Amino acid sequence: MTINRHKGQVIIFETSPEELEQLQALFESGELSRVLGIQVSDIGAIAESNPTAPVLIGVQLRQWFQQNVLDKWEAEATLIGTFLAQEMNNTSSWSEELEGARGGSRSQVIRRYMELLDNPDKQVSFQAALELGETGNPHPAIIQALVKGLQTCHHEETSWQIALSLGELAPNHPQAAFAQHKTIELAEQAVELLVGVKRNSEEQIDVLLQVYSTELEDTLPEGLELTVLDEAGQVWRKTTAQPGDYYNQVGLTTPLGKGFTVELELGDVRVRENFMV
């Protein structure tokens, strides 16, 4: 196991999986720093099968589930890139459908939004999921509508937005998702990296990576590459921004305890962010 200290030092020692799990819980609660008397910024496991592999120290994504907002990161409940792309390509038809859902009694509004979550138009279903989360109202009927939406939705981004809205209204729900974003400087071009997490099973989590321009109405710079590398440094996922793209994204499922690296590259500039699950 490794502990990364505030001065950049790394402590490595042997521990059992059970002990590592206990230390992880202490770290996430903030107790580990207090007990050790040092500022612990991260912990992670080194695979015994490859002891010569480089130690990957990175952001602990499980802190997202505790809603711990880390330095230089900002909590987010919207897939901003998806939202902006829809706003820029807005058509009156789906806008009118949503407008019609906002009037009437609470029960009528909830029922209408439940119908819109199943709408075959992904723009409509995504916006309906977003607006339900923005109500700030954890009414059981709304929670039930979101959970049902997760069961019936076949569009990945809408499913993520439903789960993020669920995280806003019922953060302890097992199907809730959470996201944070951070500004990444690429020479004279700045972009936002959004990282979303939700539980897939007791042993795995789903991760969604989304990159979009800091100037929210601008498209991404052409040729911007978003690459995910595994612990061995091998390319796991990769996507490249095309002309007119408002955002790019990559989804993956990874076991707990594993690490990966997100690489953003534009021209001769490359920035990496390490993550531990």
Side-chain angles (χ1 to χ4, degrees):
M1 191 197 77
T2 67
I3 298 180
N4 187 26
R5 296 177 62 181
H6 68 292
K7 293 183 179 180
Q9 297 172 313
V10 176
I11 300 174
I12 303 176
F13 58 89
E14 293 184 1
T15 183
S16 69
E18 293 76 16
E19 291 170 333
L20 177 58
E21 190 172 313
Q22 293 173 2
L23 287 169
Q24 178 70 46
L26 287 172
F27 170 70
E28 293 177 353
S29 69
E31 284 294 300
L32 189 58
S33 294
R34 186 186 66 79
V35 171
L36 295 178
I38 59 174
Q39 180 60 43
V40 181
S41 61
D42 225 328
I43 67 173
I46 305 174
E48 293 181 2
S49 59
N50 189 11
T52 61
V55 178
L56 180 64
I57 300 297
V59 173
Q60 283 279 347
L61 288 181
R62 275 184 280 183
Q63 293 194 41
W64 267 225
F65 291 108
Q66 279 75 48
Q67 301 179 73
N68 295 332
V69 181
L70 305 186
D71 184 38
K72 297 182 180 179
W73 290 84
E74 183 176 348
E76 183 56 63
T78 304
L79 292 186
I80 299 180
T82 306
F83 171 75
L84 289 172
Q86 294 195 7
E87 285 290 293
M88 296 302 105
N89 296 286
N90 187 12
T91 59
S92 60
S93 59
W94 70 268
S95 179
E96 290 172 359
E97 282 197 68
L98 286 161
E99 188 64 36
R102 298 180 183 121
S105 66
R106 182 171 64 182
S107 61
Q108 290 174 326
V109 169
I110 292 173
R111 184 169 58 253
R112 182 59 178 144
Y113 270 108
M114 288 176 66
E115 295 171 356
L116 292 177
L117 286 175
D118 289 329
N119 194 292
D121 186 331
K122 63 184 181 181
Q123 291 183 319
V124 174
S125 58
F126 179 90
Q127 191 71 24
L130 175 60
E131 292 188 13
L132 277 175
E134 289 177 340
T135 64
N137 179 11
H139 189 279
I142 295 179
I143 303 303
Q144 182 181 4
L146 292 170
V147 172
K148 182 180 178 181
L150 285 174
Q151 296 169 350
T152 59
C153 180
H154 300 292
H155 180 240
E156 181 183 19
E157 290 168 59
T158 298
S159 291
W160 270 97
Q161 187 55 61
I162 292 172
L164 286 170
S165 293
L166 189 59
E168 278 287 281
L169 302 180
N172 294 324
H173 196 283
Q175 293 177 276
F178 304 92
Q180 296 185 28
H181 68 96
K182 177 183 182 180
T183 302
I184 305 292
E185 299 287 345
L186 296 170
E188 298 180 357
Q189 178 73 48
V191 296
E192 296 290 325
L193 173 64
L194 181 144
V195 182
V197 296
K198 62 180 178 180
R199 294 175 179 86
N200 179 286
S201 67
E202 291 185 1
E203 302 296 331
Q204 294 180 320
I205 69 167
D206 293 329
V207 179
L208 185 70
L209 307 167
Q210 194 173 83
V211 59
Y212 49 91
S213 176
T214 53
E215 298 296 329
L216 295 181
E217 295 184 356
D218 290 351
T219 57
L220 286 173
E222 183 179 351
L224 172 66
E225 294 183 351
L226 167 61
T227 306
V228 182
L229 308 171
D230 63 19
E231 289 182 318
Q234 301 299 308
V235 174
W236 190 3
R237 300 281 193 279
K238 185 173 182 178
T239 182
T240 304
Q242 304 300 316
D245 285 348
Y246 283 96
Y247 70 105
N248 262 3
Q249 70 181 29
V250 169
L252 51 102
T253 299
T254 181
L256 298 176
K258 293 294 184 179
F260 64 90
T261 297
V262 175
E263 180 179 277
L264 295 176
E265 184 173 1
L266 181 62
D268 297 329
V269 181
R270 178 185 300 167
V271 175
R272 287 184 170 183
E273 291 282 334
N274 295 329
F275 297 92
M276 291 294 297
V277 178

